[in-house]
Amino acid sequence: MTEEIARPVTIDEITCPVQADCEVSAVKRLSERLYELVMTAPELAVRARPGQFVHVLCGGETFLRRPISICDVSGGSLRLVFQVKGAGTAWLSERAPGDMLDVLGTLGNGFRLSGLGARPVFVGGGIGVPPLLLAMKAARAQGAAPAAILGFRSRSAVILESDFTALGNTEVTTDDGSYGIHGFVTGLLERREYTSVCACGPKGMLRAVAALAERAGVPCQVSLEERMGCGIGACLGCACALRDTDGGLRYGHVCKDGPVFDAKEVVWE
Amino acid sequence: MKDAVRMNLAVEFCGVTLKNPITVASGTFGFGHEYGQFFNPSALGGISVKGLTPYERLGNPPPRIAETPAGMLNCVGLQNPGIDRFITEQIPYLRQFDTAIIANVSGNTVEEYCGMVEKISDADVDLIEMNISCPNVRCGGMAFGTQPHMVDEVVSAAKKYAKKPLIVKLSPNVADIAEIARAAVGAGADALSLINTLLGMRIDVETRRPVLSNGMGGLSGPAVLPVAVRMVYQVRQAVQVPILGMGGISTGRDAVEMLLAGANAVAIGAALFRDPLCPVKVLAELKHYLAEHHIEDVNTLSGGVVL
Ligand SMILES: Cc1cc2nc3c(=O)[nH]c(=O)nc-3n(C[C@H](O)[C@H](O)[C@H](O)COP(=O)(O)OP(=O)(O)OC[C@H]3O[C@@H](n4cnc5c(N)ncnc54)[C@H](O)[C@@H]3O)c2cc1C
Ligand SMILES: Cc1cc2nc3c(=O)[nH]c(=O)nc-3n(C[C@H](O)[C@H](O)[C@H](O)COP(=O)(O)O)c2cc1C
Ligand code: FES
């Protein structure tokens, strides 16, 4: 390979994503289908911003990479928390320390940290909870007093509670009442005071959270999901409907314009 | 790298010199910005840009992507900013690079194709690639590229407006690709590119609904390589013009296979999504193959399949 070919065009070392070979340092089963994977990835760790994701090449029968949010960064390591859904995440859950992963990152626009105010609240649902951890950490680091409201289906699905508790007041709800408060995150959010909302989870939850934030007159950011091809904005595969400033509909792209969007922009259908 | 003493990688493609036969396929490389973060696009022989239409197109609703064994389906639906914004906003960016710009254009009527070809001819691009897999709205939405008489009509009309070499990109969703190729060349195509995606469909067995918003979508990736090689081979037997071969290429050996079948240059598409450096690696592997086989000129591979 000549040098000319190897050198990327964009010189900005920190915002330019890279393809990194990362060594798995730990894989832990959190519950039946939920796993935590830590990998040594110094090149990605310096780039990671809260709400960003990585695009992981999985083995087995998969062709496309799988997008997974960055849950936490410490030292030169990235922590991912994921749910086994199909072939890709199943393969990922079977990794062992010492295995290498081919990872693109860090990708997307994360949570905007300016304008969170003194008391931001982080609202997560199920497997949408992980990316909020790094965001809440960042909010705290900039002097805010963040809180978290985390919703899960049932007791066995609860993840990361102690990590969130260490960062601020954390309330957990379960749909079936088997743990924490019986009910949905929106039930709690309605009764809390906050200066901004950052949310990630199922679309129905995001929509309800966005409506409450709007009623409360505070800014709300939501992290969306869509099936991805390239993960970097080239294939236009991960479309999501957005409202233009003039009210018209357009398709933005979760991987490049998002995954975090201003809730006011999102067309909920 | 121990290159052969003198190795020629350059390909003359209907009057345009491609510095090497490795290009990237329309719709998989955007306008170059994204993959430009991973490697310098000047490494490529050419870039075929996202398919352009007369006006901005929103594209289809999500989901637009579905995975398949060794490949993927897409129904992006030609989302693009329209040809005018391409010309003013994207060409200056692409021109920074020492690589051929291939403008991929689409239309829904013969007039639209003519207008696109006329307009893009006056812009600073090197080659025009006419995607004829689009539905003809005057013919019940049947794709132009599926009927020899429609191919003849649209290509001969558009050719009159072409001031740059005109590549016609063929749809593989036909009974006889050679017949379509002959129609395109008879109507004035300076070169052919193939294959576009194969029409496919996936159904979610839990919801019983199609996975893609559009129901059906185009299949690409390694799964289609043998189909593409076969079609390039058949087209090479039928016509003399240069062929840009694509469909499922992800390694240097895949590229060699496509060249041997009859392509003069190749394009890489979906494989980029797995490996952003794929085109650079394919080029390195191609050079390695040439060195290993003591081949001094890549052009000698073209059509070199031994029967
Ligand atoms: C920006 C972003 C961040 C994400 N972060 C996380 C995370 O931190 N933890 C986590 O557990 N999951 C996360 N997901 C969802 C995760 O990407 C999917 O669950 C995963 O791709 C499923 O792959 P699979 O092979 O296991 O399942 P399969 O069902 O075999 O997947 C088949 C295809 O569908 C796609 N797909 C399926 N479900 C989804 C989905 N919900 N979103 C996008 N594509 C999907 C896959 O990418 C693949 O192409 C995130 C998704 C996005 C878009
Ligand atoms: C996401 C995606 C978008 C595409 N968009 C276009 C397009 O706009 N115009 C076009 O002529 N072909 C388009 N194609 C087809 C490719 O250019 C190429 O012909 C096809 O994917 C086969 O090559 P591959 O198997 O290497 O991907 C697209 C393919 C993909 C995967
Ligand atoms: S996944 Fe390709 S544009 Fe988002």
Side-chain angles (χ1 to χ4, degrees), chain B residues 176-196:
Chain B
D176 183 353
I177 193 78
E179 183 188 27
I180 302 287
R182 277 190 292 265
V185 172
D190 298 304
L192 299 176
S193 60
L194 67 154
I195 58 174
N196 210 318

Side-chain angles (χ1 to χ4, degrees), chain B residues 24-282:
Chain B
V24 284
S26 175
T28 64
F29 204 74
F31 300 118
H33 302 264
E34 295 80 17
Y35 286 105
Q37 301 173 102
F38 292 90
F39 68 90
N40 188 335
S42 296
L44 299 167
I47 296 174
S48 179
V49 301
K50 176 62 196 170
L52 302 166
T53 51
Y55 301 101
E56 179 177 4
R57 267 181 67 129
L58 289 179
N60 288 321
R64 295 179 173 182
I65 300 252
E67 197 173 53
T68 70
M72 59 177 285
L73 293 177
N74 89 83
C75 66
V76 169
L78 289 176
Q79 178 172 13
N80 80 95
I83 189 168
D84 294 324
R85 276 178 57 200
F86 167 72
I87 291 170
T88 55
E89 294 169 16
Q90 302 298 340
I91 292 180
Y93 172 80
L94 286 163
R95 266 297 173 234
Q96 300 173 74
F97 308 112
D98 176 22
T99 189
I101 303 176
I102 307 170
N104 182 285
V105 298
S106 299
N108 287 123
T109 61
V110 171
E111 295 74 38
E112 277 187 5
Y113 277 105
C114 292
M116 296 286 292
V117 168
E118 181 174 30
K119 201 175 253 183
I120 204 70
S121 282
D122 291 325
D124 184 17
V125 301
D126 299 293
L127 294 149
I128 305 169
E129 184 178 53
M130 201 172 136
N131 171 11
I132 57 167
S133 299
C134 306
N136 181 350
V137 294
R138 303 247 171 79
C139 250
M142 185 185 283
F144 282 96
T146 57
Q147 299 289 329
H149 73 270
M150 283 204 285
V151 173
D152 175 66
E153 186 193 355
V154 71
V155 175
S156 42
K159 174 67 181 173
K160 295 199 186 82
Y161 296 91
K163 288 182 251 166
K164 299 271 165 70
L166 186 67
I167 309 171
V168 174
K169 183 165 178 178
L170 306 183
S171 164
N173 305 309
V174 298
D176 183 353
I177 193 78
E179 183 188 27
I180 302 287
R182 277 190 292 265
V185 172
D190 298 304
L192 299 176
S193 60
L194 67 154
I195 58 174
N196 210 318
T197 54
L198 285 148
L199 196 59
M201 181 171 182
R202 294 220 74 177
I203 298 167
D204 182 323
V205 297
E206 298 302 330
T207 63
R208 301 192 176 196
R209 289 175 191 280
V211 174
L212 295 176
S213 66
N214 216 32
M216 291 179 267
L219 178 66
S220 61
V224 310
L225 179 71
V227 178
V229 168
R230 182 265 294 179
M231 289 196 162
V232 165
Y233 171 75
Q234 288 178 314
V235 169
R236 176 44 79 222
Q237 303 307 303
V239 299
Q240 302 297 312
V241 299
I243 296 175
L244 180 58
M246 68 191 82
I249 296 173
S250 58
T251 68
R253 298 184 80 84
D254 297 342
V256 171
E257 200 174 330
M258 197 65 89
L259 294 170
L260 291 173
N264 300 82
V266 302
I268 291 161
L272 278 158
F273 307 158
R274 268 181 81 82
D275 182 0
L277 290 176
C278 181
V280 175
K281 291 179 184 166
V282 166

Side-chain angles (χ1 to χ4, degrees), chain A residues 1 23 35 48 81 100 107 158 185 244:
Chain A
M1 222 185 276
E23 187 176 334
Y35 290 80
V81 171
M100 299 303 288
L107 305 175
V158 177
V185 291
D244 255 341

Side-chain angles (χ1 to χ4, degrees), chain A residues 121 123 149 184-192 194 197 205-220 263 268:
Chain A
V121 61
V123 184
I149 303 176
F184 299 117
V185 291
T186 40
L188 286 187
L189 186 63
E190 248 180 328
R191 288 178 268 128
R192 299 288 175 269
Y194 45 90
V197 183
M205 182 205 97
L206 294 181
R207 181 184 193 158
V209 167
L212 287 178
E214 180 155 17
R215 214 184 306 152
V218 305
C220 178
W268 299 104

Side-chain angles (χ1 to χ4, degrees), chain A residues 56-144:
Chain A
V56 185
L57 190 63
C58 299
E61 305 277 270
T62 64
F63 174 66
L64 298 169
R65 290 171 180 265
R66 299 296 192 257
I68 304 286
S69 300
I70 298 167
C71 171
D72 201 1
V73 180
S74 89
S77 289
L78 288 194
R79 179 176 172 201
L80 311 179
V81 171
F82 59 91
Q83 184 172 20
V84 173
K85 283 263 176 72
T89 45
W91 182 87
L92 211 54
S93 72
E94 289 152 14
R95 295 311 91 203
D99 286 351
M100 299 303 288
L101 289 178
D102 175 341
V103 183
L104 286 192
T106 56
L107 305 175
N109 285 310
F111 292 100
R112 261 170 297 98
L113 298 171
S114 60
L116 289 184
R119 279 171 294 114
V121 61
F122 294 83
V123 184
I127 199 60
V129 165
L132 298 176
L133 184 66
L134 189 57
M136 185 152 159
K137 228 185 194 180
R140 207 176 120 118
Q142 68 182 22

